[in-house]
Amino acid sequence: MPQRPISPHLQVYRLPFTAVLSIFHRITGALLSFGLILLVALLLSALLGEHTYEWIRGLLASIPGQVLLWGYIFALVFHTCHGVRHLIWDSLRGLERGTLFRHNLIELVAAFLATALLFVFTQGLVGGSA
Amino acid sequence: MRQASKPEQARAATQHWWRQRLTALSLLPLTIWFILGLAQLPQLTYSGFLDWIRTPLNAITLGIFMLLGLFHAVMGLEVIIEDYVHHPVLRAGALKTIRLVLVLTEAAAVLSILKLSLPDAS
């Protein structure tokens, strides 16, 4: 198909914040999907015995491993919080402009707070992370 | 390649819509459970992990989470593929590939959970 020129759109339009959250929902969804497949691979590797398990655990305890793990957890928490809004919208509620604005804030605060609390809570359980 | 008729497409789309919402709803409590577990995983030793997965309730919940989660994930990926892959053959190929990945990953998840939780099964 011939490539016809189109006007700039994303480069020039300032997206409403709801739209920004929406694309993040999609991005986290895609990343979480691949992460989930990786987690299944991790599960499979547990079958290979304690040595493999401890090796992976060591990777997870490293700085990049922790960044990856908590990045994944935040993505999952965010995706869930925004997903709840989709379910609310599916019941045809919360579509008014004021409500959208309020829910944007609530959703973000909830996602950050939940992840932060979980981080503090789990690190406090066993005297700091490995 | 045969094109689906409009009624077939409508039916498939509605089904996709409902399945996405129903899995999402079921996944709400399961995801909270999973996140709590995942956050604590690094502190779990191998024997601790085995004890955990040999508790039937944990193994079953993990299995259900994996099956519903993978299904929900692939449905989402299908929508992404449909949105961004414009070439008809590439799109069809990508969709078939992701569905194949789904089946293989689900099989791997179920088999590994079974093998880990039932050590006497050979």
Side-chain angles (χ1 to χ4, degrees):
Chain A
M1 277 200 299
Q3 275 287 78
R4 305 202 190 282
I6 54 172
S7 331
H9 44 93
L10 285 174
Q11 302 104 295
V12 296
Y13 190 74
R14 195 172 125 211
L15 285 178
F17 197 62
T18 317
V20 174
L21 291 176
S22 178
I23 188 63
F24 260 100
H25 189 246
R26 176 167 276 198
I27 292 173
T28 50
L31 293 174
L32 287 166
S33 304
F34 297 125
L36 190 58
I37 297 173
L38 247 158
L39 280 171
V40 172
L42 234 73
L43 200 62
L44 266 172
S45 68
L47 280 169
L48 295 170
E50 177 153 16
H51 188 74
T52 316
Y53 180 87
E54 287 301 324
W55 178 73
I56 290 174
R57 204 167 145 225
L59 286 179
L60 279 177
S62 68
I63 305 272
Q66 284 284 292
V67 169
L68 216 70
L69 179 68
W70 285 97
Y72 186 84
I73 290 175
F74 178 69
L76 191 50
V77 171
F78 174 84
H79 188 91
T80 308
C81 290
H82 193 83
V84 165
R85 288 183 76 190
H86 269 287
L87 292 172
I88 295 174
W89 291 333
D90 286 337
S91 69
L92 299 176
R93 291 187 185 83
L95 293 160
E96 305 79 28
R97 198 162 168 272
T99 316
L100 285 175
F101 181 76
R102 217 178 317 126
H103 283 181
N104 285 350
L105 285 174
I106 296 174
E107 176 194 330
L108 265 187
V109 169
F112 276 106
L113 205 64
T115 310
L117 282 174
L118 188 63
F119 183 79
V120 166
F121 180 67
T122 53
Q123 303 315 346
L125 269 181
V126 186
S129 58
Chain B
M1 264 183 291
R2 188 184 79 89
Q3 293 278 32
S5 71
K6 286 285 158 54
E8 281 175 56
Q9 289 176 4
R11 193 179 150 275
T14 311
Q15 203 175 61
H16 191 281
W17 193 92
W18 271 110
R19 286 179 175 174
Q20 192 69 313
R21 271 67 182 173
L22 291 174
T23 50
L25 216 52
S26 323
L27 280 167
L28 274 179
L30 287 167
T31 305
I32 294 171
W33 174 86
F34 181 73
I35 291 174
L36 290 172
L38 191 63
Q40 296 172 59
L41 181 64
Q43 279 102 334
L44 223 52
T45 60
Y46 189 59
S47 54
F49 174 71
L50 288 179
D51 285 337
W52 181 87
I53 208 166
R54 279 172 192 163
T55 313
L57 200 64
N58 290 334
I60 292 171
T61 314
L62 185 66
I64 296 175
F65 172 79
M66 284 290 171
L67 291 176
L68 286 178
L70 285 167
F71 190 58
H72 178 93
V74 169
M75 278 198 287
L77 290 175
E78 282 177 346
V79 175
I80 292 177
I81 289 168
E82 286 162 1
D83 275 355
Y84 300 135
V85 183
H86 303 299
H87 190 283
V89 177
L90 275 180
R91 183 170 60 230
L95 288 172
K96 288 197 201 309
T97 307
I98 201 67
R99 287 165 191 159
L100 179 65
V101 168
L102 170 67
V103 172
L104 293 175
T105 316
E106 282 181 330
V110 170
L111 281 172
S112 45
I113 291 174
L114 280 176
K115 275 232 104 178
L116 284 167
S117 59
L118 304 166
D120 309 313
S122 49

